[in-house]
PDB file of all heavy atoms in Angstrom:
ATOM      1  N   PRO B 104     -70.570 -66.673 -58.774  1.00 82.00           N
ATOM      2  CA  PRO B 104     -70.382 -65.225 -58.934  1.00 82.00           C
ATOM      3  C   PRO B 104     -69.070 -64.774 -59.604  1.00 82.00           C
ATOM      4  O   PRO B 104     -68.814 -63.718 -60.094  1.00 82.00           O
ATOM      5  CB  PRO B 104     -70.473 -64.687 -57.515  1.00 82.00           C
ATOM      6  CG  PRO B 104     -70.340 -65.859 -56.607  1.00 82.00           C
ATOM      7  CD  PRO B 104     -70.884 -67.021 -57.490  1.00 82.00           C
ATOM      8  N   ALA B 105     -68.035 -65.837 -59.505  1.00 83.00           N
ATOM      9  CA  ALA B 105     -66.744 -65.436 -60.234  1.00 83.00           C
ATOM     10  C   ALA B 105     -66.736 -65.846 -61.702  1.00 83.00           C
ATOM     11  O   ALA B 105     -65.789 -65.629 -62.371  1.00 83.00           O
ATOM     12  CB  ALA B 105     -65.732 -66.437 -59.540  1.00 83.00           C
ATOM     13  N   ALA B 106     -67.832 -66.384 -62.128  1.00 87.00           N
ATOM     14  CA  ALA B 106     -67.986 -66.856 -63.535  1.00 87.00           C
ATOM     15  C   ALA B 106     -69.238 -66.511 -64.266  1.00 87.00           C
ATOM     16  O   ALA B 106     -69.743 -67.315 -65.036  1.00 87.00           O
ATOM     17  CB  ALA B 106     -67.671 -68.237 -63.650  1.00 87.00           C
ATOM     18  N   PRO B 107     -69.773 -65.334 -64.099  1.00 89.00           N
ATOM     19  CA  PRO B 107     -71.109 -64.987 -64.613  1.00 89.00           C
ATOM     20  C   PRO B 107     -71.221 -64.955 -66.192  1.00 89.00           C
ATOM     21  O   PRO B 107     -72.209 -65.083 -66.704  1.00 89.00           O
ATOM     22  CB  PRO B 107     -71.490 -63.622 -64.075  1.00 89.00           C
ATOM     23  CG  PRO B 107     -70.031 -62.950 -63.772  1.00 89.00           C
ATOM     24  CD  PRO B 107     -69.107 -64.150 -63.380  1.00 89.00           C
ATOM     25  N   GLY B 108     -70.025 -64.859 -66.744  1.00 92.00           N
ATOM     26  CA  GLY B 108     -69.924 -64.670 -68.237  1.00 92.00           C
ATOM     27  C   GLY B 108     -69.209 -65.859 -68.776  1.00 92.00           C
ATOM     28  O   GLY B 108     -68.988 -65.810 -70.104  1.00 92.00           O
ATOM     29  N   ALA B 109     -68.820 -66.717 -68.130  1.00 96.00           N
ATOM     30  CA  ALA B 109     -68.181 -67.932 -68.535  1.00 96.00           C
ATOM     31  C   ALA B 109     -69.272 -68.865 -69.161  1.00 96.00           C
ATOM     32  O   ALA B 109     -70.382 -68.715 -68.878  1.00 96.00           O
ATOM     33  CB  ALA B 109     -67.222 -68.723 -67.638  1.00 96.00           C
ATOM     34  N   PHE B 110     -68.800 -70.015 -69.932  1.00 97.00           N
ATOM     35  CA  PHE B 110     -69.866 -70.729 -70.514  1.00 97.00           C
ATOM     36  C   PHE B 110     -69.485 -72.285 -70.209  1.00 97.00           C
ATOM     37  O   PHE B 110     -68.450 -72.774 -70.730  1.00 97.00           O
ATOM     38  CB  PHE B 110     -69.930 -70.663 -72.084  1.00 97.00           C
ATOM     39  CG  PHE B 110     -70.156 -69.332 -72.535  1.00 97.00           C
ATOM     40  CD1 PHE B 110     -69.149 -68.660 -73.298  1.00 97.00           C
ATOM     41  CD2 PHE B 110     -71.252 -68.457 -72.047  1.00 97.00           C
ATOM     42  CE1 PHE B 110     -69.354 -67.280 -73.706  1.00 97.00           C
ATOM     43  CE2 PHE B 110     -71.465 -67.149 -72.551  1.00 97.00           C
ATOM     44  CZ  PHE B 110     -70.433 -66.599 -73.227  1.00 97.00           C
ATOM     45  N   ASP B 111     -70.315 -72.888 -69.283  1.00 97.00           N
ATOM     46  CA  ASP B 111     -69.805 -74.237 -68.858  1.00 97.00           C
ATOM     47  C   ASP B 111     -70.512 -75.315 -69.581  1.00 97.00           C
ATOM     48  O   ASP B 111     -70.065 -76.507 -69.578  1.00 97.00           O
ATOM     49  CB  ASP B 111     -70.102 -74.398 -67.197  1.00 97.00           C
ATOM     50  CG  ASP B 111     -71.522 -74.172 -66.907  1.00 97.00           C
ATOM     51  OD1 ASP B 111     -72.346 -73.694 -67.756  1.00 97.00           O
ATOM     52  OD2 ASP B 111     -71.897 -74.543 -65.798  1.00 97.00           O
ATOM     53  N   ILE B 112     -71.663 -75.093 -70.266  1.00 98.00           N
ATOM     54  CA  ILE B 112     -72.400 -76.062 -71.058  1.00 98.00           C
ATOM     55  C   ILE B 112     -72.584 -75.445 -72.431  1.00 98.00           C
ATOM     56  O   ILE B 112     -73.132 -74.348 -72.469  1.00 98.00           O
ATOM     57  CB  ILE B 112     -73.616 -76.426 -70.366  1.00 98.00           C
ATOM     58  CG1 ILE B 112     -73.377 -77.142 -68.962  1.00 98.00           C
ATOM     59  CG2 ILE B 112     -74.316 -77.583 -71.224  1.00 98.00           C
ATOM     60  CD1 ILE B 112     -72.572 -78.333 -68.962  1.00 98.00           C
ATOM     61  N   TRP B 113     -72.367 -76.157 -73.483  1.00 98.00           N
ATOM     62  CA  TRP B 113     -72.528 -75.771 -74.798  1.00 98.00           C
ATOM     63  C   TRP B 113     -73.441 -76.755 -75.570  1.00 98.00           C
ATOM     64  O   TRP B 113     -73.365 -77.952 -75.369  1.00 98.00           O
ATOM     65  CB  TRP B 113     -71.308 -75.705 -75.589  1.00 98.00           C
ATOM     66  CG  TRP B 113     -70.216 -74.601 -75.094  1.00 98.00           C
ATOM     67  CD1 TRP B 113     -69.626 -74.700 -73.870  1.00 98.00           C
ATOM     68  CD2 TRP B 113     -69.759 -73.441 -75.787  1.00 98.00           C
ATOM     69  NE1 TRP B 113     -68.786 -73.514 -73.781  1.00 98.00           N
ATOM     70  CE2 TRP B 113     -68.803 -72.788 -74.919  1.00 98.00           C
ATOM     71  CE3 TRP B 113     -70.106 -72.981 -77.035  1.00 98.00           C
ATOM     72  CZ2 TRP B 113     -68.148 -71.610 -75.355  1.00 98.00           C
ATOM     73  CZ3 TRP B 113     -69.458 -71.753 -77.341  1.00 98.00           C
ATOM     74  CH2 TRP B 113     -68.517 -71.141 -76.478  1.00 98.00           C
ATOM     75  N   GLY B 114     -74.323 -76.215 -76.559  1.00 98.00           N
ATOM     76  CA  GLY B 114     -74.948 -77.193 -77.442  1.00 98.00           C
ATOM     77  C   GLY B 114     -73.905 -77.634 -78.568  1.00 98.00           C
ATOM     78  O   GLY B 114     -72.868 -77.268 -78.566  1.00 98.00           O
ATOM     79  N   GLN B 115     -74.566 -78.449 -79.367  1.00 98.00           N
ATOM     80  CA  GLN B 115     -73.645 -78.990 -80.524  1.00 98.00           C
ATOM     81  C   GLN B 115     -73.565 -78.053 -81.618  1.00 98.00           C
ATOM     82  O   GLN B 115     -72.790 -78.209 -82.547  1.00 98.00           O
ATOM     83  CB  GLN B 115     -74.224 -80.343 -80.975  1.00 98.00           C
ATOM     84  CG  GLN B 115     -75.333 -80.278 -82.017  1.00 98.00           C
ATOM     85  CD  GLN B 115     -76.681 -79.726 -81.555  1.00 98.00           C
ATOM     86  OE1 GLN B 115     -76.885 -79.518 -80.384  1.00 98.00           O
ATOM     87  NE2 GLN B 115     -77.518 -79.332 -82.572  1.00 98.00           N
ATOM     88  N   GLY B 116     -74.402 -76.976 -81.661  1.00 98.00           N
ATOM     89  CA  GLY B 116     -74.367 -76.023 -82.789  1.00 98.00           C
ATOM     90  C   GLY B 116     -75.309 -76.236 -83.835  1.00 98.00           C
ATOM     91  O   GLY B 116     -75.668 -77.373 -84.165  1.00 98.00           O
ATOM     92  N   THR B 117     -75.718 -75.185 -84.519  1.00 98.00           N
ATOM     93  CA  THR B 117     -76.541 -75.296 -85.723  1.00 98.00           C
ATOM     94  C   THR B 117     -75.918 -74.336 -86.736  1.00 98.00           C
ATOM     95  O   THR B 117     -75.576 -73.230 -86.404  1.00 98.00           O
ATOM     96  CB  THR B 117     -78.123 -74.930 -85.365  1.00 98.00           C
ATOM     97  OG1 THR B 117     -78.925 -75.148 -86.616  1.00 98.00           O
ATOM     98  CG2 THR B 117     -78.303 -73.545 -85.001  1.00 98.00           C
ATOM     99  N   MET B 118     -75.881 -74.780 -88.031  1.00 98.00           N
ATOM    100  CA  MET B 118     -75.189 -73.965 -89.071  1.00 98.00           C
ATOM    101  C   MET B 118     -76.295 -73.037 -89.721  1.00 98.00           C
ATOM    102  O   MET B 118     -77.417 -73.479 -90.206  1.00 98.00           O
ATOM    103  CB  MET B 118     -74.661 -74.958 -90.108  1.00 98.00           C
ATOM    104  CG  MET B 118     -73.926 -74.241 -91.291  1.00 98.00           C
ATOM    105  SD  MET B 118     -72.348 -73.513 -90.632  1.00 98.00           S
ATOM    106  CE  MET B 118     -72.088 -72.228 -91.878  1.00 98.00           C
ATOM    107  N   VAL B 119     -75.855 -71.866 -89.845  1.00 98.00           N
ATOM    108  CA  VAL B 119     -76.580 -70.798 -90.612  1.00 98.00           C
ATOM    109  C   VAL B 119     -75.815 -70.328 -91.791  1.00 98.00           C
ATOM    110  O   VAL B 119     -74.762 -69.987 -91.641  1.00 98.00           O
ATOM    111  CB  VAL B 119     -77.034 -69.656 -89.799  1.00 98.00           C
ATOM    112  CG1 VAL B 119     -77.572 -68.496 -90.588  1.00 98.00           C
ATOM    113  CG2 VAL B 119     -77.944 -70.048 -88.659  1.00 98.00           C
ATOM    114  N   THR B 120     -76.331 -70.470 -93.005  1.00 98.00           N
ATOM    115  CA  THR B 120     -75.668 -70.037 -94.241  1.00 98.00           C
ATOM    116  C   THR B 120     -76.460 -68.936 -94.873  1.00 98.00           C
ATOM    117  O   THR B 120     -77.586 -69.278 -95.188  1.00 98.00           O
ATOM    118  CB  THR B 120     -75.460 -71.160 -95.163  1.00 98.00           C
ATOM    119  OG1 THR B 120     -74.706 -72.250 -94.529  1.00 98.00           O
ATOM    120  CG2 THR B 120     -74.628 -70.731 -96.397  1.00 98.00           C
TER     121      THR B 120
END
Side-chain angles (χ1 to χ4, degrees):
Chain B
F110 309 119
D111 61 347
I112 302 295
W113 296 66
Q115 86 291 347
T117 187
M118 183 70 203
V119 172
T120 303

